[in-house]
Structure formats: structure tokens, C-alpha cells
Amino acid sequence: MSREGDEKQAPWSISDLAHELDVSTRTIRYYEEVGLIFPARTERGIRYYTRQDRARLRLIMRGKRFGFSLEQIREMIELFGEDRSGRAQLLRAIDYGNQKLAEIDDKIRELSLLREDILAYKLGFEQKLLEEHGEGNR
């Protein structure tokens, strides 16, 4: 039962958010432990999450999917608190995005070279088998 887009039903429980974001409750608790989110608690100590917490979690999950470190994610999130226009946050996100794109481009080049090397060896091995077993003389 997804609550996506159902903003009027905030606050969310940890299990609601975990289900919605397809992460474990342990992951959400970890983000709390490292100071990325700050859920409120009931008198009995049960966590509950506001729209702001939910938005932060979505940003964290997106940042992780893009390969950013938790420290980079923290910095980008905190920049918005310092500059409500969002400009500083956007500039930092662009900078980190450019760094990540350069890393991806480097990895693609490495993998392309590796593919070429493996293909060359494979073709050489296949040719050697043909020559050794006389299959090339038919």
C-alpha cells in the first residue's frame, strides 16, 4: 500500500518509508545515526517522519544511486539549509555530478580496453584450437 503523493497522511512510520523507498528500516536508522535525518519521536520513543524527512530520504537514496558518498550527500543537503535559494546546492551538485561523470567515462574507457584485450585473446585461442586440431585444414 503506497502512500506516494498522499502528503496529507504525514507523518510516516519507519516501516511506511522503508516500504515506499524500497530500503530496510535498518538503512533508515543508519542515516539517522550518521546525522542525515532527524525523525521526531512520540512520548513512547517511536520514530515518525515528516514530509521534510521523507524528502531528505529521497535525496539520500537518489545520491546513493548516483554513487555519491554520504559526506557528499550531506554537504549538498546542508547547503540548501544555508542558502534557501538553492543556488549553492545546485552548484555543488553540478560539481559532484561532473566529477562522477569523469569517473564513469574513465571506467568506460578501462572496460573498453579490457574488452578488446579479452576479445583478442579469445580470438587467438580459437585460432590456435583450429590450427592444432586440423580443423582449419578442412
Side-chain angles (χ1 to χ4, degrees):
M1 175 167 134
S2 177
R3 292 172 52 162
E4 185 83 24
D6 193 0
E7 300 295 321
K8 292 180 183 175
Q9 290 191 6
W12 287 266
S13 71
I14 193 169
S15 57
D16 288 340
L17 282 179
H19 182 263
E20 179 181 327
L21 300 173
D22 197 26
V23 297
S24 69
T25 56
R26 177 67 194 115
T27 297
I28 295 173
R29 284 187 201 98
Y30 176 73
Y31 294 148
E32 179 184 356
E33 288 170 20
V34 298
L36 287 172
I37 57 172
F38 310 96
R41 292 186 184 259
T42 66
E43 290 178 7
R44 295 186 312 171
I46 298 171
R47 294 172 179 86
Y48 65 91
Y49 299 84
T50 64
R51 285 190 299 257
Q52 182 181 3
D53 296 321
R54 180 175 171 258
R56 285 176 75 103
L57 276 168
R58 292 175 75 118
L59 288 171
I60 293 164
M61 301 310 297
R62 183 181 309 139
K64 291 302 293 174
R65 189 178 76 235
F66 290 158
F68 296 126
S69 72
L70 289 180
E71 281 309 309
Q72 289 172 321
I73 293 167
R74 175 192 319 278
E75 183 180 2
M76 287 185 281
I77 289 172
E78 288 175 355
L79 280 172
F80 186 73
E82 296 170 13
D83 173 15
R84 298 304 274 176
S85 76
R87 181 173 169 73
Q89 184 186 41
L90 291 174
L91 290 170
R92 186 58 47 93
I94 290 167
D95 182 44
Y96 284 148
N98 285 335
Q99 290 174 30
K100 189 53 68 178
L101 287 170
E103 290 173 22
I104 291 168
D105 289 341
D106 288 345
K107 192 63 160 175
I108 288 170
R109 280 190 287 279
E110 288 175 26
L111 289 172
S112 290
L113 292 172
L114 178 60
R115 184 182 191 287
E116 290 173 18
D117 287 347
I118 291 172
L119 185 57
Y121 275 103
K122 177 187 166 284
L123 293 173
F125 294 157
E126 289 172 344
Q127 184 62 38
K128 186 173 182 173
L129 278 175
L130 289 174
E131 291 169 2
E132 286 179 0
H133 297 293
E135 294 176 20
N137 296 331
R138 290 188 187 174

